[in-house]
Amino acid sequence: MNKSRMMLCAVGALVAGPVVALLVSSGTALSLITQAVIYAIFAMGIGLLLRQNGLVSFGHALYFGGAGYGIGILLQLNLMPAELAVLVTLLAVAAFAFLVGLVIVRVPGIAFGMLTLAIGQMFFLTASRARGFTGGADGMNVDWPSTLFGLSQSVLLKPSNLFVLCWSVLVVLTLALALLLRSRFGAITEAVRDNEERARFIGISTVLPRASVYALSALVTGVAGILAALNTGFVSPETLHWSLSGMALMMVVVGGFKVLWGPPLGAVVYFLFKDILGDFATHWMTIFGIALITVIVFSPTGIAGALQRLFGTRRSAASGESA
Amino acid sequence: MLVSNMFNGLVYGSLLIVMCSGLALIYGLRRVVNFAHGALYMLGAYLGYSVALHSNFWVALVAAPAVMALIGVLLDRYGFRLLQDRDPLTVVLVTFGLLLVIEDVVQTIWGKSNLSVQTPQLLNFSVDVFGAALPAYRIGVIVIGAAVALGLSLWLRYSKVGLFVRAASTDPTTTAMQGVNTDALSAGVVGLGTALAGLAGVVAAPFLSLSPSMSSDVLIDSFVVVVIGGLGSLAGAFIAALVLGMVQAVGAVYLPDVAVLLPFILMVAILIWKPAGLAGSRT
């Protein structure tokens, strides 16, 4: 896919958002797809790490819940306008992840995944035991001001508008990542992923690109965290819990991580299934566990991979270069 | 206060030794980080609870690990063995899926509320050491941890099967070419590792209550231990387990506010110093 076609797709997708919002009249359906879109962004962050670094994170909820807590605390302290607080939170999440990344990306292979799990859980424990205004296990409210980016709260929080906002963020992020990964940065990170030793031989430092990808994936997940905080107006330690990381990872694997749009697809499928299952939802862990095992064993490239095989090799070759 | 805290640290460290030796054995032979290990520990604990309810604790101590060993052998035969040529990530995610299934099954059978197992009569007394009353049951836990550590070390060092296990951990293909049946060996070792998870569960039941969150708590501590110790290294895991138990227990006295964070800080510090862990040359 060349640049102009990507732009065209993105514009098309941006237009599709409001159209969907107009067509779907039911409030519950809208809130369901809004949630799916938020988790699609979350999953895209994890997918980015897996795709560009070949590393699995079992603790990305840290950046999802962390961003929610960050914005909640900043708004509570009332130090700066909310718009700035959003920016500061995202930068802080990325900077923190970069520092963590410098330490943990040096740990090879699967031990990395175990570390992310442990670090994530450390913050879950801290948040659920903390006293003071973060509310410990009960969580805290996120006090959004009455106007945000020039829009009043009642306009912003209307389900259809919120959906359009989240959808547009997803589209813009996807486009930005697709463009970024076509650049030299994308090529370097892929070289480091595929053969770290040879990458070093040709003079590429390997820790910095890996840590940068880790920070970038945390940033994407942080955006999802802020949108979730806007959507619910509330943040609790559950948003930091590893089961949430696991759920998002499941979306990534089921959707397929080889292409950028795989994880978002997984998120949508997950929420559709959860809604359809409804009554069986008490056993969703078994159902999703078995679904995860089935997909990973029989189609390691996920639904996206299966779709690509279905629609021939031409398309998969094209998106293999670009997406 | 300090004596009894250090004692409790030793008790928890011993429990982690039993857990982590299973994790390290399975990793050694199959190169699989078993995310379901905590869930298997939980399953062992609940099985032990049911057996103890119908007969007594000592039967449970034997029966639950035996059932878990069978589950482990099946897991290897119909899971790890079929997936051995796949990307390690695939297998890890399969064990992650398994963890979800086992947790749900346990919750469905035994419910979500906390359960507890009575301390066996025989060990229901305490011993005075340096003015601290130490429950005999917990001393028993330390004995079991020490026995597992010593038994495994001697077995791996001096028995013929132990030699095969060490060889297969280093190079499975060459070991198979020398005429060792590595598939049968792996089935046995995964069975043993799973039985150890079950044993840890039964042993933990009388002093930690049974709840659906018990699996993730211990899994995360175990991961910290095996990462600090160096993946696949038994000796590293033994040392790291004791250090972690101590750090947590002593930290609870002197730094109560950050006690839960100490293991992680320790882990980060050690990994900056030695990225492959204390004993680690293997990746």
Side-chain angles (χ1 to χ4, degrees), chain B residues 75-106:
Chain B
L75 177 66
D76 185 70
R77 178 62 189 83
Y78 297 103
F80 299 159
R81 185 164 153 191
L82 301 179
L83 295 169
Q84 59 185 333
D85 297 326
R86 302 286 283 271
D87 183 19
L89 180 61
T90 306
V91 193
V92 165
L93 289 169
V94 167
T95 63
F96 186 74
L98 211 57
L99 166 141
L100 294 174
V101 175
I102 297 175
E103 286 206 348
D104 195 36
V105 167
V106 168

Side-chain angles (χ1 to χ4, degrees), chain A residues 57 152-153 156 224 233 285 293:
Chain A
S57 167
S152 80
Q153 210 177 43
L156 197 62
M285 279 182 32
I293 293 174

Side-chain angles (χ1 to χ4, degrees), chain A:
Chain A
M1 217 188 280
N2 57 29
K3 255 185 202 166
S4 56
R5 237 185 100 192
M6 273 162 65
M7 290 294 183
L8 214 63
C9 283
V11 171
L14 279 177
V15 174
V19 174
V20 169
L22 279 178
L23 289 179
V24 180
S25 51
S26 134
T28 44
L30 256 181
S31 82
L32 186 77
I33 50 176
T34 306
Q35 235 187 341
V37 169
I38 291 173
Y39 278 85
I41 300 174
F42 184 174
M44 199 161 68
I46 298 182
L48 178 72
L49 181 68
L50 187 54
R51 184 171 176 277
Q52 290 308 117
N53 268 7
L55 294 172
V56 192
S57 167
F58 289 89
H60 247 51
L62 169 59
Y63 303 114
F64 183 74
Y69 269 105
I71 190 77
I73 291 170
L74 281 180
L75 289 178
Q76 196 99 41
L77 292 177
N78 222 348
L79 291 175
M80 54 185 91
E83 291 81 3
L84 189 61
V86 169
L87 200 67
V88 168
T89 305
L90 288 176
L91 285 178
V93 164
F96 173 75
F98 186 72
L99 289 179
V100 171
L102 283 181
V103 178
I104 64 174
V105 294
R106 304 187 313 152
V107 179
I110 196 60
F112 171 85
M114 300 158 79
L115 278 181
T116 55
L117 177 67
I119 293 173
Q121 203 59 9
M122 164 166 90
F123 282 91
F124 165 74
L125 286 175
T126 314
S128 47
R129 285 174 198 189
R131 294 182 204 92
F133 62 88
T134 54
D138 298 331
M140 71 186 290
N141 285 317
V142 180
D143 295 325
W144 293 98
S146 50
T147 58
L148 193 65
F149 293 107
L151 295 166
S152 80
Q153 210 177 43
S154 56
V155 173
L156 197 62
L157 291 184
K158 222 178 115 199
S160 57
N161 292 346
L162 200 60
F163 166 73
V164 172
L165 172 70
C166 295
W167 174 257
S168 308
V169 171
L170 174 66
V171 172
V172 170
L173 270 178
T174 312
L175 179 69
L177 286 177
L179 289 176
L180 181 68
L181 297 182
R182 287 161 66 102
S183 70
R184 186 177 149 76
F185 177 73
I188 288 178
T189 50
E190 270 161 39
V192 173
R193 173 196 67 195
D194 290 340
N195 196 326
E196 189 176 343
E197 205 169 8
R198 283 195 195 171
R200 267 205 305 271
F201 286 168
I202 57 173
I204 300 173
S205 127
T206 56
V207 171
L208 282 180
R210 284 191 160 172
S212 311
V213 169
Y214 186 71
L216 191 63
S217 87
L219 178 67
V220 172
T221 301
V223 170
I226 288 193
L227 288 175
L230 184 65
N231 187 22
T232 56
F234 180 73
V235 58
S236 72
E238 269 71 59
T239 57
L240 293 165
H241 196 255
W242 70 278
S243 57
L244 193 68
S245 312
M247 201 174 82
L249 181 64
M250 212 145 61
M251 297 171 189
V252 173
V253 173
V254 170
F257 65 88
K258 299 270 184 203
V259 289
L260 265 181
W261 49 269
L265 181 69
V268 173
V269 169
Y270 174 90
F271 275 94
L272 272 182
F273 257 94
K274 205 166 180 180
D275 192 51
I276 295 169
L277 285 172
D279 296 340
F280 301 99
T282 45
H283 290 294
W284 69 267
M285 279 182 32
T286 299
I287 295 163
F288 285 114
I290 292 171
L292 177 72
I293 293 174
T294 314
V295 169
I296 193 84
V297 169
F298 296 105
S299 176
T301 48
I303 300 175
L307 284 180
Q308 282 182 338
R309 277 198 301 278
L310 212 61
F311 293 113
T313 49
R314 193 185 60 86
R315 208 179 140 191
S316 82
S319 57
E321 296 166 10
S322 63

Side-chain angles (χ1 to χ4, degrees), chain B residues 13-242:
Chain B
S14 306
L15 187 69
L16 285 178
I17 283 182
V18 182
M19 272 301 282
C20 295
S21 48
L23 210 53
L25 279 174
I26 296 176
Y27 182 82
L29 270 191
R30 282 297 193 204
R31 289 289 180 275
V32 173
V33 174
N34 187 4
F35 271 68
H37 208 67
L40 293 167
Y41 153 90
M42 173 165 86
L43 185 60
Y46 277 92
L47 278 175
Y49 166 83
S50 287
V51 175
L53 215 58
H54 290 112
S55 55
N56 67 53
F57 178 79
W58 303 107
V59 178
L61 194 63
V62 178
V67 175
M68 295 310 293
L70 184 67
I71 292 177
V73 171
L74 293 175
L75 177 66
D76 185 70
R77 178 62 189 83
Y78 297 103
F80 299 159
R81 185 164 153 191
L82 301 179
L83 295 169
Q84 59 185 333
D85 297 326
R86 302 286 283 271
D87 183 19
L89 180 61
T90 306
V91 193
V92 165
L93 289 169
V94 167
T95 63
F96 186 74
L98 211 57
L99 166 141
L100 294 174
V101 175
I102 297 175
E103 286 206 348
D104 195 36
V105 167
V106 168
Q107 278 185 30
T108 309
I109 298 177
W110 285 280
K112 285 186 178 179
S113 48
N114 286 13
L115 303 171
S116 61
V117 172
Q118 293 269 307
T119 308
Q121 277 297 318
L122 189 63
L123 291 175
N124 207 356
F125 62 95
S126 43
V127 183
D128 265 4
V129 181
F130 302 120
L134 309 179
Y137 180 77
R138 296 190 178 204
I139 297 176
V141 175
I142 297 177
V143 171
I144 288 185
V148 166
L150 193 70
L152 279 178
S153 308
L154 292 178
W155 177 62
L156 288 174
R157 191 87 191 82
Y158 294 110
S159 77
K160 192 151 194 177
V161 180
L163 178 71
F164 292 163
V165 170
R166 281 185 290 144
S169 304
T170 316
D171 188 340
T173 314
T174 314
T175 310
M177 285 194 300
Q178 310 284 329
V180 175
N181 185 346
T182 48
D183 277 329
L185 195 66
S186 296
V189 167
V190 174
L192 177 64
T194 312
L196 285 172
L199 177 68
V202 180
V203 166
F207 74 100
L208 302 171
S209 67
L210 304 183
S211 73
S213 73
M214 70 186 289
S215 112
S216 60
D217 293 348
V218 82
L219 183 71
I220 284 155
D221 282 344
S222 307
F223 277 6
V224 172
V225 166
V226 294
V227 170
I228 290 179
L231 266 179
S233 156
L234 272 181
F238 294 157
I239 295 169
L242 289 178

